[in-house]
Amino acid sequence: MIEAPPTLTIKSTLRRPTAAQIAAFQGVPTGYVVDALYGGGALSAAIQPCGGRDLDRAAAGPALTADAGAADVLATFAALKFLEPGDIIVTAFAGHTGCAAAGDRLVGMMKNCGAAGFVTDGPVRDYPGVMAVGLPVWCAGITPASPHSSGPGTVGFPVQLGGHQIATGDMIVADQDGVVVVPFERIDEVIVELDRVKAAETAQDARVAAGLRIPAWVEELLESDRTAYKD
């Protein structure tokens, strides 16, 4: 006989980056963060900014995880109680696309609680209302279908989402390109690397603006014995 799980399981201790660590990621493009992670951290391209990429939407903040499971939103509602201003609610929906992982009222409550954004691997519903709320949302599409709110679910424990494990306290950085997760243990390392990435990007932008057509390293490769020319 399988024992029924608790309706909700809440992690008793929720870690969070420092204010200085959180501030270091504000306004940083997701591409820079991926480069600082040496090519890692990007969630699946299926998770896109709600409203399209022409909207200027971005958010950076600590993850507060909710594992709602397919077709259920109870854990996401429960997460509201533990949300701190600036957090990003990250809801694992088991990649389910048959109904919405949130609607405009739930997204509105997130904003009222001080959330900086919402990320899920499920769709959302009530698109006009979600857009009117103004909270940046990254999701797997739009659907009118309604979810359940019966559980079981968890808040604060690691979740699998978009090809990555995400834990509460990890930094989430999201913009028009998508969503990146920085593991809690690597936050300081990535902050240091971001200085190098920013400097390199700024220098390369200046070269392109000045008329750069082909990078020197490409020219060198084409002229080296590592390139073969054949008829």
Side-chain angles (χ1 to χ4, degrees), residues 67-73 91-101 121-122 147-152:
D67 195 345
D72 202 277
V73 294
T91 292
F93 209 54
H96 180 68
T97 57
C99 66
D121 58 350
H148 301 285
S149 56
S150 54

Side-chain angles (χ1 to χ4, degrees), residues 9-15 82 155-157:
T9 303
I10 312 296
K11 198 172 192 309
S12 55
T13 302
L14 302 176
R15 65 184 182 179
F82 307 96
V155 175
F157 294 90

Side-chain angles (χ1 to χ4, degrees), residues 82-183:
F82 307 96
L83 178 68
E84 292 193 30
D87 287 351
I88 294 177
I89 292 184
V90 177
T91 292
F93 209 54
H96 180 68
T97 57
C99 66
D104 56 355
R105 294 184 184 89
L106 178 49
V107 171
M109 292 176 205
M110 293 178 193
K111 184 176 182 181
N112 292 344
C113 289
F118 174 53
V119 175
T120 182
D121 58 350
V124 299
R125 57 170 284 167
D126 310 317
Y127 176 80
V130 170
M131 290 295 95
V133 167
L135 183 74
V137 172
W138 288 262
C139 61
I142 309 294
T143 178
S146 300
H148 301 285
S149 56
S150 54
T154 69
V155 175
F157 294 90
V159 298
Q160 294 291 330
L161 189 150
H164 287 268
Q165 178 171 283
I166 303 175
T168 290
D170 291 351
M171 276 298 301
I172 300 295
V173 184
D175 60 17
Q176 291 153 300
D177 282 351
V179 184
V180 180
V181 55
V182 180

Side-chain angles (χ1 to χ4, degrees), residues 184-204:
F184 183 86
E185 297 78 9
R186 298 187 63 186
I187 288 175
D188 285 334
E189 165 200 337
V190 171
I191 290 172
V192 172
E193 277 299 305
L194 278 173
D195 288 336
R196 177 190 63 80
V197 172
K198 290 174 185 176
E201 291 285 341
T202 299
Q204 191 69 347

